[in-house]
């Protein structure tokens, strides 16, 4: 199986930082209890002009593990998975915006 990285670029308006951190931490605790979770690294921009002031990188052991945990429920209106949790892309309330992407390593120097 090939590991994948889910890179979530997050726009957090001023005043919503604590809420974004709490939501992110709750998701990571949930992911840690699921098969296939490898790690998570959370970044905060040091340049105030960045559009995305937070980036969260979550590594899964395979795309299949990611799909079974993260995307289960993405298609339904409420965005709820079988554990009654909102899928990550729908879990942050406005005005917080998440732009997720899934990536595989093609070079590691």
């Amino acid at each position: 199986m090939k590991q994948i990285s889910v890179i979530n670029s997050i726009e957090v308006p001023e005043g919503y930082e604590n809420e974004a951190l709490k939501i992110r931490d709750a998701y990571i605790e949930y992911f840690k209890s699921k098969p296939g979770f490898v790690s998570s690294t959370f970044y905060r921009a040091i340049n105030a002009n960045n559009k995305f002031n937070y980036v969260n990188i979550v590594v899964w052991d395979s795309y299949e593990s990611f799909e079974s945990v993260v995307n289960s429920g993405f298609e339904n209106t409420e965005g709820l998975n079988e554990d009654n949790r909102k899928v990550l892309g729908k879990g942050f309330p406005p005005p917080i915006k998440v732009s997720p992407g899934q990536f595989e390593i093609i070079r590691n120097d």
Side-chain angles (χ1 to χ4, degrees):
M1 288 196 264
K2 186 184 280 190
Q3 284 188 345
I4 67 154
S5 295
V6 179
I7 301 175
N8 296 299
S9 302
I10 309 169
E11 296 177 61
V12 181
E14 189 173 332
Y16 288 87
E17 296 88 354
N18 286 337
E19 184 173 3
L21 290 171
K22 281 193 266 185
I23 293 169
R24 180 266 174 193
D25 290 347
Y27 272 103
I28 296 307
E29 283 307 308
Y30 172 71
F31 293 160
K32 285 179 180 179
S33 73
K34 298 298 182 181
F37 174 84
V38 175
S39 67
S40 176
T41 306
F42 199 43
Y43 299 87
R44 180 178 53 214
I46 57 174
N47 181 335
N49 296 326
N50 285 1
K51 175 180 180 178
F52 300 110
N53 46 352
Y54 291 91
V55 173
N56 193 42
I57 300 176
V58 182
V59 180
W60 293 91
D61 69 355
S62 68
Y63 188 76
E64 292 76 21
S65 293
F66 160 77
E67 279 283 307
S68 70
V69 174
V70 178
N71 278 347
S72 172
F74 199 81
E75 292 81 21
N76 69 55
T77 306
E78 296 80 23
L80 298 175
N81 67 17
E82 67 276 358
D83 292 327
N84 207 34
R85 291 192 61 99
K86 284 196 177 241
V87 294
L88 190 55
K90 297 183 178 186
F92 285 90
I96 299 170
K97 296 178 186 172
V98 179
S99 298
Q102 298 87 43
F103 300 86
E104 64 182 357
I105 296 171
I106 60 168
R107 296 233 184 351
N108 194 0
D109 301 319

